[in-house]
Amino acid sequence: MFLIVGYVIILAASVGTYAVHGSLAALWVPMEYLAIVGLTIGGFVAGNDIKVIKATIAALPSLFKGSKFNKAAYVDLLAMLFEVLAKVRKEGLMSIENDVENPHDSPIFSKYPSISHDHHVMEFITDYLRMMVGGNLNALEIENLMDMEIETHHHEVEVPGHVMAKTGDATPAFGIVVAVMGVVNVMGSVGEPPAVLGKMIGGALVGTFLGILISYGFVQPVASLLEQKAHEGSKIYQVIKVVLLASMSGYAPQVAVEFGRKVLFSSDRPTFIELEEELKARKGK
């Protein structure tokens, strides 16, 4: 939503202010628009393999949706982990074997659809719970493995943002290419009247204008948002990591989830009292 609002402000501040003292018709040079868009898309396709192109296109719709990683989602996550670890502490590790092997049928996981419907998050949780059920774990080795998996995930989700940033960096240069092509066309028409030459030169300069506007006004904001989405989407794995490692180190479930709470961004972090009351309320259900 804010992306659209930003685009409207950008257009109003650029094209809108120009319209006050100039003719919008002078900016309408269809071939310049076609060339700029074509060069930008061509550079994007030529510079990336099919996996990156698909990942970038798939990530774009998320820009128009609110973040699913909010305080309510993290409270659900911590409550779910608390319930799993409390069951382990009370009944032993083997008691969660069926939950781990069949998470969609688990009476614990099914209570938290905001978490259980995220395939990647559930796979991360169940994989390490499965290792805990298997026993004989070295906490340092597991922590190292978790770090590498989180790093791999973060690298994958960062790719669309990096790709869009590079595409945005190239767009002003494409604008210069289009402008130079226009100037070459002007040079071949030096015998025309000044009014005609002026219109042709203005049309050539539109290429530079479009390249810079599209880059910094439209593509770079998308790249920035994609990078922000990637960062906020990695936090949940860090929370899961510290909670499970705390449990493996012998801490009680209540203390383990407190480790996870402290990892959260301040804007998404429930207070100690809020989390404690939420866990008590859900425990009574």
Side-chain angles (χ1 to χ4, degrees), residues 42-202:
F44 169 74
V45 172
N48 301 286
D49 63 31
I50 188 63
K51 290 192 296 183
V52 172
I53 293 173
K54 287 182 177 180
T56 304
I57 294 174
L60 293 178
S62 67
L63 300 177
F64 303 97
K65 301 176 183 177
S67 175
K68 62 180 180 179
F69 301 107
N70 50 33
K71 181 185 287 189
Y74 284 120
V75 168
D76 279 347
L77 173 67
L78 294 173
M80 185 182 78
L81 292 174
F82 173 81
E83 193 168 341
V84 171
L85 297 178
K87 183 177 181 180
V88 169
R89 194 173 185 85
K90 183 178 180 181
E91 303 176 24
L93 276 168
M94 295 306 296
S95 65
I96 63 168
E97 185 175 14
N98 288 333
D99 297 292
V100 171
E101 297 301 333
N102 302 289
H104 297 295
D105 299 324
S106 167
I108 296 178
F109 295 141
S110 60
K111 290 163 59 177
Y112 304 94
S114 62
I115 306 300
S116 61
H117 288 171
D118 191 316
H119 169 72
H120 296 293
V121 170
M122 286 305 301
E123 188 176 63
F124 188 83
I125 293 172
T126 54
D127 280 352
Y128 288 102
L129 287 175
R130 189 177 293 111
M131 291 183 188
M132 292 172 65
V133 171
N136 299 321
L137 294 178
N138 182 310
L140 291 177
E141 291 178 355
I142 294 300
E143 181 178 9
N144 186 50
L145 179 60
M146 286 180 168
D147 286 339
M148 288 190 291
E149 184 172 353
I150 292 172
E151 182 181 353
T152 299
H153 167 79
H154 192 63
H155 175 74
E156 288 178 342
V157 297
E158 275 188 329
V159 167
H162 289 165
V163 166
M164 291 303 295
K166 289 181 178 179
T167 301
D169 289 340
T171 305
F174 291 143
I176 294 174
V177 170
V178 173
V180 170
M181 291 166 60
V183 171
V184 170
N185 185 41
V186 172
M187 293 298 100
S189 306
V190 290
E192 298 291 337
V196 174
L197 288 176
K199 184 177 181 180
M200 294 177 68
I201 293 172

